[in-house]
mmCIF file of all heavy atoms in Angstrom:
data_model
loop_
_atom_site.group_PDB
_atom_site.id
_atom_site.type_symbol
_atom_site.label_atom_id
_atom_site.label_comp_id
_atom_site.label_asym_id
_atom_site.label_seq_id
_atom_site.Cartn_x
_atom_site.Cartn_y
_atom_site.Cartn_z
ATOM 1 N N ILE A 181 -1.248 3.292 -7.038
ATOM 2 C CA ILE A 181 -2.522 3.270 -7.887
ATOM 3 C C ILE A 181 -2.313 3.268 -9.350
ATOM 4 O O ILE A 181 -2.964 2.496 -10.031
ATOM 5 C CB ILE A 181 -3.500 4.394 -7.450
ATOM 6 C CG1 ILE A 181 -3.924 4.241 -6.051
ATOM 7 C CG2 ILE A 181 -4.704 4.519 -8.258
ATOM 8 C CD1 ILE A 181 -4.685 5.480 -5.479
ATOM 9 N N GLY A 182 -1.409 4.047 -9.740
ATOM 10 C CA GLY A 182 -1.079 4.155 -11.177
ATOM 11 C C GLY A 182 -0.462 2.863 -11.760
ATOM 12 O O GLY A 182 -0.721 2.511 -12.945
ATOM 13 N N LEU A 183 0.288 2.104 -10.915
ATOM 14 C CA LEU A 183 1.008 1.001 -11.485
ATOM 15 C C LEU A 183 0.198 -0.334 -11.157
ATOM 16 O O LEU A 183 0.555 -1.419 -11.604
ATOM 17 C CB LEU A 183 2.345 0.778 -10.753
ATOM 18 C CG LEU A 183 3.417 1.850 -11.090
ATOM 19 C CD1 LEU A 183 4.730 1.576 -10.250
ATOM 20 C CD2 LEU A 183 3.739 1.787 -12.570
ATOM 21 N N ALA A 184 -0.924 -0.199 -10.374
ATOM 22 C CA ALA A 184 -1.677 -1.381 -10.080
ATOM 23 C C ALA A 184 -2.098 -2.230 -11.282
ATOM 24 O O ALA A 184 -1.996 -3.508 -11.183
ATOM 25 C CB ALA A 184 -2.965 -0.996 -9.252
ATOM 26 N N PRO A 185 -2.551 -1.685 -12.412
ATOM 27 C CA PRO A 185 -2.994 -2.542 -13.446
ATOM 28 C C PRO A 185 -1.803 -3.247 -14.018
ATOM 29 O O PRO A 185 -1.971 -4.474 -14.455
ATOM 30 C CB PRO A 185 -3.531 -1.479 -14.593
ATOM 31 C CG PRO A 185 -3.861 -0.320 -13.801
ATOM 32 C CD PRO A 185 -2.800 -0.258 -12.624
ATOM 33 N N LEU A 186 -0.598 -2.711 -14.152
ATOM 34 C CA LEU A 186 0.508 -3.432 -14.771
ATOM 35 C C LEU A 186 0.963 -4.488 -13.814
ATOM 36 O O LEU A 186 1.322 -5.608 -14.215
ATOM 37 C CB LEU A 186 1.681 -2.422 -15.027
ATOM 38 C CG LEU A 186 1.349 -1.304 -15.993
ATOM 39 C CD1 LEU A 186 2.495 -0.312 -16.160
ATOM 40 C CD2 LEU A 186 1.085 -1.927 -17.439
ATOM 41 N N ILE A 187 1.118 -4.174 -12.444
ATOM 42 C CA ILE A 187 1.527 -5.127 -11.539
ATOM 43 C C ILE A 187 0.662 -6.370 -11.454
ATOM 44 O O ILE A 187 1.101 -7.540 -11.480
ATOM 45 C CB ILE A 187 1.604 -4.513 -10.053
ATOM 46 C CG1 ILE A 187 2.677 -3.339 -10.048
ATOM 47 C CG2 ILE A 187 1.872 -5.569 -8.988
ATOM 48 C CD1 ILE A 187 2.609 -2.621 -8.758
ATOM 49 N N SER A 188 -0.704 -6.162 -11.457
ATOM 50 C CA SER A 188 -1.648 -7.194 -11.375
ATOM 51 C C SER A 188 -1.677 -8.156 -12.560
ATOM 52 O O SER A 188 -1.650 -9.420 -12.483
ATOM 53 C CB SER A 188 -3.021 -6.714 -11.049
ATOM 54 O OG SER A 188 -3.445 -5.873 -12.173
ATOM 55 N N ARG A 189 -1.552 -7.520 -13.710
ATOM 56 C CA ARG A 189 -1.688 -8.352 -14.980
ATOM 57 C C ARG A 189 -0.248 -9.091 -15.345
ATOM 58 O O ARG A 189 -0.316 -10.173 -15.725
ATOM 59 C CB ARG A 189 -2.154 -7.428 -16.087
ATOM 60 C CG ARG A 189 -2.254 -8.191 -17.441
ATOM 61 C CD ARG A 189 -2.935 -7.296 -18.519
ATOM 62 N NE ARG A 189 -4.299 -6.918 -18.142
ATOM 63 C CZ ARG A 189 -5.334 -7.637 -18.328
ATOM 64 N NH1 ARG A 189 -5.198 -8.810 -19.016
ATOM 65 N NH2 ARG A 189 -6.493 -7.225 -18.040
ATOM 66 N N TYR A 190 0.783 -8.316 -15.190
ATOM 67 C CA TYR A 190 2.035 -8.825 -15.848
ATOM 68 C C TYR A 190 3.005 -9.415 -14.768
ATOM 69 O O TYR A 190 3.733 -10.297 -15.149
ATOM 70 C CB TYR A 190 2.703 -7.695 -16.608
ATOM 71 C CG TYR A 190 1.979 -7.241 -17.833
ATOM 72 C CD1 TYR A 190 1.381 -6.050 -17.766
ATOM 73 C CD2 TYR A 190 1.769 -8.034 -18.862
ATOM 74 C CE1 TYR A 190 0.493 -5.507 -18.817
ATOM 75 C CE2 TYR A 190 0.927 -7.549 -19.983
ATOM 76 C CZ TYR A 190 0.376 -6.302 -19.939
ATOM 77 O OH TYR A 190 -0.374 -5.882 -20.924
ATOM 78 N N LEU A 191 2.923 -8.978 -13.577
ATOM 79 C CA LEU A 191 3.837 -9.453 -12.499
ATOM 80 C C LEU A 191 3.185 -10.530 -11.636
ATOM 81 O O LEU A 191 3.765 -11.612 -11.432
ATOM 82 C CB LEU A 191 4.364 -8.257 -11.572
ATOM 83 C CG LEU A 191 5.219 -7.281 -12.372
ATOM 84 C CD1 LEU A 191 5.743 -6.239 -11.429
ATOM 85 C CD2 LEU A 191 6.379 -7.997 -13.018
ATOM 86 N N LEU A 192 2.008 -10.229 -11.152
ATOM 87 C CA LEU A 192 1.288 -11.259 -10.294
ATOM 88 C C LEU A 192 0.562 -12.264 -11.078
ATOM 89 O O LEU A 192 0.031 -13.260 -10.572
ATOM 90 C CB LEU A 192 0.334 -10.557 -9.342
ATOM 91 C CG LEU A 192 1.061 -9.507 -8.312
ATOM 92 C CD1 LEU A 192 0.021 -8.899 -7.492
ATOM 93 C CD2 LEU A 192 2.022 -10.241 -7.598
ATOM 94 N N THR A 193 0.498 -12.003 -12.435
ATOM 95 C CA THR A 193 -0.218 -12.985 -13.385
ATOM 96 C C THR A 193 -1.585 -13.269 -13.049
ATOM 97 O O THR A 193 -2.126 -14.273 -13.506
ATOM 98 C CB THR A 193 0.562 -14.300 -13.501
ATOM 99 O OG1 THR A 193 0.507 -14.992 -12.340
ATOM 100 C CG2 THR A 193 2.080 -14.048 -13.863
ATOM 101 N N ASP A 194 -2.277 -12.412 -12.293
ATOM 102 C CA ASP A 194 -3.714 -12.625 -11.968
ATOM 103 C C ASP A 194 -4.342 -11.252 -11.881
ATOM 104 O O ASP A 194 -4.227 -10.512 -10.921
ATOM 105 C CB ASP A 194 -3.905 -13.320 -10.601
ATOM 106 C CG ASP A 194 -5.256 -13.794 -10.365
ATOM 107 O OD1 ASP A 194 -6.289 -13.143 -10.956
ATOM 108 O OD2 ASP A 194 -5.460 -14.845 -9.722
ATOM 109 N N PRO A 195 -5.029 -10.853 -12.962
ATOM 110 C CA PRO A 195 -5.621 -9.448 -13.030
ATOM 111 C C PRO A 195 -6.529 -9.096 -11.934
ATOM 112 O O PRO A 195 -6.750 -8.004 -11.603
ATOM 113 C CB PRO A 195 -6.376 -9.576 -14.379
ATOM 114 C CG PRO A 195 -5.712 -10.650 -15.167
ATOM 115 C CD PRO A 195 -5.302 -11.657 -14.223
ATOM 116 N N ARG A 196 -7.082 -10.136 -11.242
ATOM 117 C CA ARG A 196 -7.971 -9.867 -10.112
ATOM 118 C C ARG A 196 -7.280 -9.200 -8.910
ATOM 119 O O ARG A 196 -7.980 -8.660 -8.006
ATOM 120 C CB ARG A 196 -8.749 -11.168 -9.638
ATOM 121 C CG ARG A 196 -9.626 -11.809 -10.700
ATOM 122 C CD ARG A 196 -10.088 -13.164 -10.280
ATOM 123 N NE ARG A 196 -8.925 -14.106 -10.038
ATOM 124 C CZ ARG A 196 -9.080 -15.299 -9.438
ATOM 125 N NH1 ARG A 196 -10.267 -15.748 -9.112
ATOM 126 N NH2 ARG A 196 -7.966 -16.053 -9.272
ATOM 127 N N SER A 197 -5.988 -9.311 -8.899
ATOM 128 C CA SER A 197 -5.251 -8.717 -7.749
ATOM 129 C C SER A 197 -5.223 -7.240 -7.829
ATOM 130 O O SER A 197 -4.778 -6.494 -6.893
ATOM 131 C CB SER A 197 -3.782 -9.324 -7.712
ATOM 132 O OG SER A 197 -3.120 -8.964 -8.850
ATOM 133 N N TYR A 198 -5.706 -6.678 -8.957
ATOM 134 C CA TYR A 198 -5.775 -5.156 -9.079
ATOM 135 C C TYR A 198 -6.629 -4.565 -8.032
ATOM 136 O O TYR A 198 -6.295 -3.462 -7.466
ATOM 137 C CB TYR A 198 -6.429 -4.912 -10.489
ATOM 138 C CG TYR A 198 -6.877 -3.354 -10.625
ATOM 139 C CD1 TYR A 198 -5.851 -2.407 -10.950
ATOM 140 C CD2 TYR A 198 -8.131 -3.061 -10.562
ATOM 141 C CE1 TYR A 198 -6.262 -1.099 -11.127
ATOM 142 C CE2 TYR A 198 -8.581 -1.806 -10.636
ATOM 143 C CZ TYR A 198 -7.624 -0.771 -10.944
ATOM 144 O OH TYR A 198 -7.960 0.571 -10.984
ATOM 145 N N TYR A 199 -7.786 -5.260 -7.674
ATOM 146 C CA TYR A 199 -8.641 -4.573 -6.704
ATOM 147 C C TYR A 199 -8.083 -4.497 -5.256
ATOM 148 O O TYR A 199 -8.284 -3.497 -4.648
ATOM 149 C CB TYR A 199 -9.952 -5.371 -6.731
ATOM 150 C CG TYR A 199 -10.746 -5.348 -8.104
ATOM 151 C CD1 TYR A 199 -10.550 -6.521 -9.012
ATOM 152 C CD2 TYR A 199 -11.361 -4.337 -8.565
ATOM 153 C CE1 TYR A 199 -11.084 -6.451 -10.217
ATOM 154 C CE2 TYR A 199 -11.960 -4.271 -9.817
ATOM 155 C CZ TYR A 199 -11.817 -5.344 -10.734
ATOM 156 O OH TYR A 199 -12.406 -5.340 -11.959
ATOM 157 N N PRO A 200 -7.510 -5.563 -4.824
ATOM 158 C CA PRO A 200 -6.886 -5.438 -3.416
ATOM 159 C C PRO A 200 -5.717 -4.365 -3.487
ATOM 160 O O PRO A 200 -5.585 -3.636 -2.507
ATOM 161 C CB PRO A 200 -6.263 -6.782 -3.227
ATOM 162 C CG PRO A 200 -7.117 -7.728 -3.932
ATOM 163 C CD PRO A 200 -7.526 -6.984 -5.245
ATOM 164 N N LEU A 201 -4.980 -4.251 -4.615
ATOM 165 C CA LEU A 201 -3.906 -3.246 -4.689
ATOM 166 C C LEU A 201 -4.535 -1.897 -4.631
ATOM 167 O O LEU A 201 -3.887 -1.046 -3.884
ATOM 168 C CB LEU A 201 -3.188 -3.434 -6.030
ATOM 169 C CG LEU A 201 -2.272 -4.604 -6.139
ATOM 170 C CD1 LEU A 201 -1.707 -4.788 -7.582
ATOM 171 C CD2 LEU A 201 -1.060 -4.586 -5.212
ATOM 172 N N VAL A 202 -5.534 -1.522 -5.284
ATOM 173 C CA VAL A 202 -6.058 -0.238 -5.161
ATOM 174 C C VAL A 202 -6.760 0.018 -3.852
ATOM 175 O O VAL A 202 -6.682 1.133 -3.318
ATOM 176 C CB VAL A 202 -7.180 -0.099 -6.353
ATOM 177 C CG1 VAL A 202 -7.906 1.297 -6.152
ATOM 178 C CG2 VAL A 202 -6.454 -0.065 -7.750
ATOM 179 N N GLY A 203 -7.441 -1.003 -3.209
ATOM 180 C CA GLY A 203 -8.145 -0.859 -1.966
ATOM 181 C C GLY A 203 -7.205 -0.581 -0.854
ATOM 182 O O GLY A 203 -7.553 0.224 0.085
ATOM 183 N N ILE A 204 -5.906 -1.047 -0.877
ATOM 184 C CA ILE A 204 -5.012 -0.848 0.182
ATOM 185 C C ILE A 204 -4.137 0.405 0.049
ATOM 186 O O ILE A 204 -3.554 0.905 0.994
ATOM 187 C CB ILE A 204 -4.145 -2.028 0.304
ATOM 188 C CG1 ILE A 204 -3.379 -2.175 1.719
ATOM 189 C CG2 ILE A 204 -3.010 -2.020 -0.700
ATOM 190 C CD1 ILE A 204 -4.365 -2.357 2.834
ATOM 191 N N ALA A 205 -4.121 1.050 -1.128
ATOM 192 C CA ALA A 205 -3.197 2.199 -1.404
ATOM 193 C C ALA A 205 -3.451 3.323 -0.401
ATOM 194 O O ALA A 205 -2.355 3.942 0.018
ATOM 195 C CB ALA A 205 -3.361 2.672 -2.847
ATOM 196 N N PRO A 206 -4.562 3.716 0.029
ATOM 197 C CA PRO A 206 -4.715 4.929 0.913
ATOM 198 C C PRO A 206 -4.045 4.719 2.244
ATOM 199 O O PRO A 206 -4.008 5.691 3.089
ATOM 200 C CB PRO A 206 -6.202 4.978 1.005
ATOM 201 C CG PRO A 206 -6.839 4.444 -0.152
ATOM 202 C CD PRO A 206 -5.907 3.228 -0.501
ATOM 203 N N ILE A 207 -3.656 3.536 2.584
ATOM 204 C CA ILE A 207 -3.059 3.218 3.955
ATOM 205 C C ILE A 207 -1.645 3.918 4.017
ATOM 206 O O ILE A 207 -1.143 4.156 5.196
ATOM 207 C CB ILE A 207 -2.930 1.790 4.179
ATOM 208 C CG1 ILE A 207 -2.909 1.494 5.684
ATOM 209 C CG2 ILE A 207 -1.648 1.138 3.491
ATOM 210 C CD1 ILE A 207 -2.978 -0.004 6.082
ATOM 211 N N LEU A 208 -0.965 4.263 2.881
ATOM 212 C CA LEU A 208 0.412 4.632 2.910
ATOM 213 C C LEU A 208 0.612 5.863 3.743
ATOM 214 O O LEU A 208 1.502 5.876 4.568
ATOM 215 C CB LEU A 208 0.938 4.778 1.460
ATOM 216 C CG LEU A 208 1.048 3.537 0.648
ATOM 217 C CD1 LEU A 208 1.500 3.817 -0.823
ATOM 218 C CD2 LEU A 208 2.130 2.538 1.305
ATOM 219 N N PRO A 209 -0.100 7.025 3.461
ATOM 220 C CA PRO A 209 0.199 8.202 4.362
ATOM 221 C C PRO A 209 -0.212 7.988 5.844
ATOM 222 O O PRO A 209 0.495 8.503 6.716
ATOM 223 C CB PRO A 209 -0.675 9.257 3.735
ATOM 224 C CG PRO A 209 -1.658 8.568 2.937
ATOM 225 C CD PRO A 209 -1.073 7.339 2.349
ATOM 226 N N ILE A 210 -1.154 7.158 6.131
ATOM 227 C CA ILE A 210 -1.542 6.896 7.504
ATOM 228 C C ILE A 210 -0.422 6.139 8.207
ATOM 229 O O ILE A 210 -0.076 6.495 9.261
ATOM 230 C CB ILE A 210 -2.834 6.017 7.475
ATOM 231 C CG1 ILE A 210 -3.981 6.853 6.800
ATOM 232 C CG2 ILE A 210 -3.200 5.671 8.860
ATOM 233 C CD1 ILE A 210 -5.308 6.019 6.610
ATOM 234 N N VAL A 211 0.063 5.085 7.544
ATOM 235 C CA VAL A 211 1.182 4.297 8.154
ATOM 236 C C VAL A 211 2.408 5.115 8.316
ATOM 237 O O VAL A 211 3.110 5.038 9.325
ATOM 238 C CB VAL A 211 1.470 3.013 7.299
ATOM 239 C CG1 VAL A 211 2.795 2.390 7.738
ATOM 240 C CG2 VAL A 211 0.351 2.048 7.357
ATOM 241 N N ALA A 212 2.705 5.972 7.256
ATOM 242 C CA ALA A 212 3.906 6.745 7.347
ATOM 243 C C ALA A 212 3.933 7.690 8.544
ATOM 244 O O ALA A 212 4.958 7.829 9.278
ATOM 245 C CB ALA A 212 4.082 7.602 6.147
ATOM 246 N N VAL A 213 2.796 8.411 8.731
ATOM 247 C CA VAL A 213 2.701 9.385 9.870
ATOM 248 C C VAL A 213 2.724 8.604 11.194
ATOM 249 O O VAL A 213 3.341 9.070 12.124
ATOM 250 C CB VAL A 213 1.504 10.221 9.760
ATOM 251 C CG1 VAL A 213 1.156 11.012 11.041
ATOM 252 C CG2 VAL A 213 1.531 11.124 8.555
ATOM 253 N N SER A 214 2.082 7.461 11.300
ATOM 254 C CA SER A 214 2.001 6.674 12.526
ATOM 255 C C SER A 214 3.303 6.134 12.901
ATOM 256 O O SER A 214 3.753 6.078 14.072
ATOM 257 C CB SER A 214 1.037 5.508 12.392
ATOM 258 O OG SER A 214 -0.297 5.916 12.074
ATOM 259 N N SER A 215 4.102 5.728 11.861
ATOM 260 C CA SER A 215 5.438 5.235 12.181
ATOM 261 C C SER A 215 6.378 6.169 12.859
ATOM 262 O O SER A 215 7.168 5.935 13.744
ATOM 263 C CB SER A 215 6.079 4.627 10.853
ATOM 264 O OG SER A 215 6.437 5.632 9.943
ATOM 265 N N VAL A 216 6.374 7.552 12.337
ATOM 266 C CA VAL A 216 7.111 8.611 12.920
ATOM 267 C C VAL A 216 6.666 8.846 14.352
ATOM 268 O O VAL A 216 7.552 9.054 15.327
ATOM 269 C CB VAL A 216 7.048 9.805 12.130
ATOM 270 C CG1 VAL A 216 7.720 11.037 12.781
ATOM 271 C CG2 VAL A 216 7.827 9.678 10.665
ATOM 272 N N LEU A 217 5.417 8.931 14.552
ATOM 273 C CA LEU A 217 4.880 9.169 15.937
ATOM 274 C C LEU A 217 5.239 8.027 16.863
ATOM 275 O O LEU A 217 5.749 8.326 17.975
ATOM 276 C CB LEU A 217 3.319 9.329 15.927
ATOM 277 C CG LEU A 217 2.856 10.473 15.114
ATOM 278 C CD1 LEU A 217 1.279 10.549 15.168
ATOM 279 C CD2 LEU A 217 3.356 11.855 15.663
ATOM 280 N N ARG A 218 5.163 6.834 16.456
ATOM 281 C CA ARG A 218 5.578 5.646 17.270
ATOM 282 C C ARG A 218 7.110 5.751 17.598
ATOM 283 O O ARG A 218 7.551 5.525 18.667
ATOM 284 C CB ARG A 218 5.313 4.348 16.564
ATOM 285 C CG ARG A 218 3.838 4.032 16.583
ATOM 286 C CD ARG A 218 3.610 2.630 16.223
ATOM 287 N NE ARG A 218 2.240 2.286 16.127
ATOM 288 C CZ ARG A 218 1.399 2.051 15.038
ATOM 289 N NH1 ARG A 218 2.020 2.228 13.883
ATOM 290 N NH2 ARG A 218 0.081 1.716 15.131
ATOM 291 N N GLY A 219 7.939 6.100 16.543
ATOM 292 C CA GLY A 219 9.333 6.224 16.777
ATOM 293 C C GLY A 219 9.754 7.322 17.725
ATOM 294 O O GLY A 219 10.612 7.130 18.551
ATOM 295 N N TYR A 220 8.928 8.407 17.716
ATOM 296 C CA TYR A 220 9.170 9.525 18.713
ATOM 297 C C TYR A 220 8.927 9.046 20.098
ATOM 298 O O TYR A 220 9.719 9.241 21.045
ATOM 299 C CB TYR A 220 8.312 10.714 18.363
ATOM 300 C CG TYR A 220 8.333 11.793 19.267
ATOM 301 C CD1 TYR A 220 9.397 12.730 19.286
ATOM 302 C CD2 TYR A 220 7.473 12.002 20.331
ATOM 303 C CE1 TYR A 220 9.556 13.737 20.178
ATOM 304 C CE2 TYR A 220 7.527 13.007 21.175
ATOM 305 C CZ TYR A 220 8.597 13.940 21.088
ATOM 306 O OH TYR A 220 8.681 14.918 22.103
ATOM 307 N N PHE A 221 7.792 8.402 20.312
ATOM 308 C CA PHE A 221 7.448 7.957 21.684
ATOM 309 C C PHE A 221 8.446 6.778 22.142
ATOM 310 O O PHE A 221 8.806 6.765 23.347
ATOM 311 C CB PHE A 221 6.034 7.412 21.792
ATOM 312 C CG PHE A 221 5.056 8.488 21.785
ATOM 313 C CD1 PHE A 221 4.044 8.549 20.762
ATOM 314 C CD2 PHE A 221 4.989 9.512 22.765
ATOM 315 C CE1 PHE A 221 3.144 9.584 20.685
ATOM 316 C CE2 PHE A 221 4.058 10.515 22.686
ATOM 317 C CZ PHE A 221 3.108 10.583 21.745
ATOM 318 N N GLN A 222 8.783 6.022 21.217
ATOM 319 C CA GLN A 222 9.666 4.891 21.570
ATOM 320 C C GLN A 222 11.092 5.413 21.941
ATOM 321 O O GLN A 222 11.736 4.879 22.794
ATOM 322 C CB GLN A 222 9.785 3.899 20.375
ATOM 323 C CG GLN A 222 8.574 3.053 20.274
ATOM 324 C CD GLN A 222 8.331 2.415 18.896
ATOM 325 O OE1 GLN A 222 9.421 2.557 18.022
ATOM 326 N NE2 GLN A 222 7.255 1.942 18.482
ATOM 327 N N GLY A 223 11.599 6.438 21.229
ATOM 328 C CA GLY A 223 12.795 7.146 21.531
ATOM 329 C C GLY A 223 12.764 7.749 22.921
ATOM 330 O O GLY A 223 13.852 7.755 23.592
ATOM 331 N N ARG A 224 11.662 8.225 23.415
ATOM 332 C CA ARG A 224 11.549 8.728 24.721
ATOM 333 C C ARG A 224 11.209 7.612 25.786
ATOM 334 O O ARG A 224 10.909 7.945 26.863
ATOM 335 C CB ARG A 224 10.535 9.834 24.735
ATOM 336 C CG ARG A 224 10.835 10.941 23.744
ATOM 337 C CD ARG A 224 10.008 12.198 24.022
ATOM 338 N NE ARG A 224 10.425 12.980 25.213
ATOM 339 C CZ ARG A 224 9.962 14.101 25.563
ATOM 340 N NH1 ARG A 224 9.141 14.771 24.828
ATOM 341 N NH2 ARG A 224 10.445 14.669 26.691
#
């Protein structure tokens, strides 16, 4: 979330990409926990 303004403006060269970057950020802890749980069941 903190880097979204810089990434959208200077790296992706389209400032409008800021909004999708911020919108998707909350997925990170959800995906992280899910990946460990899937790995546990797959290991068994």
Side-chain angles (χ1 to χ4, degrees):
I181 293 173
L183 293 178
L186 299 176
I187 293 171
S188 60
R189 180 173 295 275
Y190 297 108
L191 295 181
L192 299 179
T193 69
D194 195 329
R196 296 173 299 173
S197 60
Y198 166 80
Y199 299 100
L201 286 171
V202 172
I204 199 64
I207 204 173
L208 292 176
I210 301 173
V211 169
V213 172
S214 296
S215 69
V216 170
L217 296 179
R218 287 191 179 106
Y220 176 79
F221 286 120
Q222 290 157 11
R224 302 194 73 170

